[in-house]
């Protein structure tokens, strides 16, 4: 009985496997533009631009630094994923984000999730792909 309890404690206290989940820290590497379905071009992040997203325990936090803007951006909220979608609900953020939240708090993206990268694809009202943010896992 003691061996069973010790084994159960080890199993439940070990770090969960985060592969094929959003759990972790991700950095934006590039953007894609689409013609409705196919990629038309790839745009790398500009020099000095950095955007990081962190997903843990159903929560998302992102921050962005743009060398052309002296004010950083951040947002915090909740998220969940399905096999094809990433759904984020932003609860609060910086001044600019809070102004934008007056009109839009829920973001739904088509999701292409791999072990060490993911693509969140924005679609128009008809379901055509318009652009994406492409992230790599950094933690």
């Amino acid at each position: 009985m003691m061996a069973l309890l010790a084994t159960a404690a080890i199993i439940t206290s070990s770090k969960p496997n985060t592969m094929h989940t959003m759990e972790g820290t991700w950095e934006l590497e590039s953007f894609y533009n689409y013609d409705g379905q196919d990629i038309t071009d790839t745009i790398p992040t500009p020099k000095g631009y950095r955007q990081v997203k962190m997903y843990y325990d159903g929560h998302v936090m992102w921050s962005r630094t743009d060398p052309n803007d002296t004010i950083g951006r951040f947002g915090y909220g909740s998220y969940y994923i399905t096999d094809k979608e990433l759904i984020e609900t932003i609860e609060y953020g910086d001044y600019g984000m809070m102004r934008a939240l007056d009109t839009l708090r829920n973001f739904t993206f088509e999701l292409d999730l791999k072990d060490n990268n993911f693509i969140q694809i924005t679609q128009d009202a008809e379901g055509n792909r318009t652009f994406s943010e492409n992230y790599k896992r950094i933690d």
Side-chain angles (χ1 to χ4, degrees):
M1 181 68 168
M2 288 301 281
L4 178 61
L5 289 174
T7 302
I10 291 169
I11 291 171
T12 59
S13 65
S14 64
K15 184 177 178 183
N17 183 0
T18 60
M19 304 312 258
H20 289 295
T21 74
M22 297 299 292
E23 294 268 327
T25 306
W26 305 82
E27 183 168 6
L28 181 68
E29 358 182 54
S30 64
F31 304 90
Y32 291 152
N33 284 323
Y34 292 83
D35 65 3
Q37 187 59 34
D38 298 316
I39 298 168
T40 58
D41 63 351
T42 302
I43 303 163
T45 55
K47 183 178 172 89
Y49 182 99
R50 190 158 191 211
Q51 182 166 306
V52 173
K53 284 187 162 188
M54 296 167 276
Y55 295 93
Y56 291 100
D57 197 26
H59 302 281
V60 59
M61 185 171 194
W62 67 269
S63 65
R64 177 175 70 202
T65 301
D66 183 343
N68 298 316
D69 185 358
T70 59
I71 301 171
R73 300 289 309 263
F74 77 91
Y76 174 82
S78 59
Y79 81 97
Y80 68 94
I81 62 172
T82 69
D83 59 339
K84 297 184 190 269
E85 290 184 322
L86 165 62
I87 299 93
E88 296 178 353
T89 302
I90 302 302
E91 298 168 20
Y92 72 91
D94 63 85
Y95 177 75
M97 175 57 73
M98 293 308 293
R99 286 184 46 197
L101 291 179
D102 284 344
T103 58
L104 183 63
R105 287 186 178 266
N106 300 307
F107 300 87
T108 300
F109 305 102
E110 179 182 341
L111 178 62
D112 181 4
L113 176 61
K114 306 286 192 278
D115 287 343
N116 293 310
N117 60 48
F118 81 89
I119 301 170
Q120 67 179 46
I121 304 167
T122 300
Q123 299 175 339
D124 65 18
E126 288 80 41
N128 299 306
R129 293 173 170 174
T130 56
F131 68 94
S132 70
E133 294 180 355
N134 311 316
Y135 290 86
K136 66 179 177 182
R137 184 184 293 277
I138 58 175
D139 174 33

